[in-house]
Amino acid sequence: AQSVTQLGSHVSVSEGALVLLRCNYSSSVPPYLFWYVQYPNQGLQLLLKYTSAATLVKGINGFEAEFKKSETSFHLTKPSAHMSDAAEYFCAVSRGGADGLTFGKGTHLIIQP
Amino acid sequence: EPEVTQTPSHQVTQMGQEVILRCVPISNHLYFYWYRQILGQKVEFLVSFYNNEISEKSEIFDDQFSVERPDGSNFTLKIRSTKLEDSAMYFCASSVPTGQAYNEQFFGPGTRLTVL
């Protein structure tokens, strides 16, 4: 069985500050890991994915995440927050192939001006 | 850029009624999925579909649910007799098998189902 834990249902940062969204996973097999972003009234957009290549993964909009097997973590970071980053962020895990994604509960990112 | 589309964007129904949610996956994709998101909760996997049959389903996907690919373009989710707790956002997704271990899933914008 797989599971994802996202620490912090809400994270607030100032514009220009570092963004850190935490994700820990549990998986019985080597996982594939993802971060999705959801803007209000929109669907899920893939930010980045870890598929067993490089442990440091770069995504869209300046986001990146590092896979740390020893810590079972896949935290999302961005050096400098922008107002347009305000959204809901979901971490997800998959066993691969056509397996359904298992999502975390999401973190609502708030950007303070 | 190709995208997954879903209709309607919002569906209101009475408890006990049947609803059909429609999705048009990306044209060359072969794996299809349904997920739901109850308001304020996480996105939950319902079912995956490949080669005209269900590949995998979660415990949420009980006998009240069914999926179908009635033609070459549509993928539908039917809820036979809706309950209040079926109120949620339903997302369709699709992916294409690439021979790799992982196939990226592309999501539609969702259908918000409200059961009264």
Side-chain angles (χ1 to χ4, degrees):
Chain A
Q2 302 170 101
S3 66
V4 174
T5 302
Q6 291 184 242
L7 292 176
S9 59
H10 291 78
V11 170
S12 180
V13 302
S14 299
E15 190 174 17
L18 171 72
V19 175
L20 171 61
L21 304 183
R22 299 178 187 275
C23 171
N24 289 88
Y25 69 91
S26 171
S27 178
S28 57
V29 298
Y32 297 97
L33 294 158
F34 315 89
W35 277 98
Y36 281 85
V37 61
Q38 184 180 32
Y39 297 102
N41 301 313
Q42 294 188 29
L44 298 164
Q45 180 183 7
L46 182 67
L47 269 179
L48 48 79
K49 61 190 179 196
Y50 167 75
T51 58
S52 75
T55 56
L56 182 62
V57 180
K58 295 188 184 298
I60 62 172
N61 302 337
F63 284 94
E64 61 182 39
E66 185 172 8
F67 172 68
K68 292 187 176 180
K69 184 178 178 180
S70 61
E71 299 177 8
T72 60
S73 69
F74 191 56
H75 301 330
L76 181 71
T77 60
K78 182 173 180 178
S80 178
H82 192 272
M83 295 299 291
S84 61
D85 295 327
E88 191 82 16
Y89 290 80
F90 293 95
C91 183
V93 64
S94 167
R95 293 172 297 186
D99 188 42
L101 296 167
T102 299
F103 285 86
K105 290 187 176 181
T107 297
H108 184 64
L109 178 62
I110 301 163
I111 310 297
Q112 305 279 5
Chain B
E1 184 176 331
E3 57 184 17
V4 177
T5 59
Q6 292 185 240
T7 54
S9 57
H10 192 187
Q11 173 96 44
V12 181
T13 190
Q14 295 290 325
M15 189 170 57
Q17 295 296 305
E18 174 184 288
V19 294
I20 297 176
L21 309 182
R22 302 181 191 279
C23 168
V24 179
I26 295 173
S27 62
N28 64 332
H29 286 191
L30 299 178
Y31 290 108
F32 313 115
Y33 312 82
W34 283 103
Y35 294 81
R36 79 172 185 190
Q37 183 182 28
I38 296 172
L39 188 63
Q41 298 187 25
K42 65 180 178 180
V43 179
E44 300 172 291
F45 167 72
L46 293 178
V47 65
S48 61
F49 190 85
Y50 172 68
N51 199 27
N52 284 320
E53 61 183 24
I54 290 174
S55 296
E56 184 182 351
K57 60 182 181 179
S58 71
E59 57 190 28
I60 301 170
F61 194 87
D62 60 23
D63 292 343
Q64 292 296 316
F65 292 91
S66 62
V67 289
E68 191 178 30
R69 187 148 164 86
D71 53 42
S73 60
N74 289 282
F75 179 52
T76 62
L77 174 69
K78 181 191 292 185
I79 308 175
R80 204 179 328 275
S81 177
T82 51
K83 303 187 281 284
L84 294 177
E85 54 264 38
D86 293 328
S87 294
M89 181 73 90
Y90 288 81
F91 292 106
C92 175
S94 68
S95 68
V96 56
T98 59
Q100 298 176 0
Y102 166 67
N103 302 310
E104 178 177 341
Q105 297 181 25
F106 293 82
F107 283 77
T111 292
R112 179 165 298 285
L113 175 65
T114 302
V115 182
L116 302 176

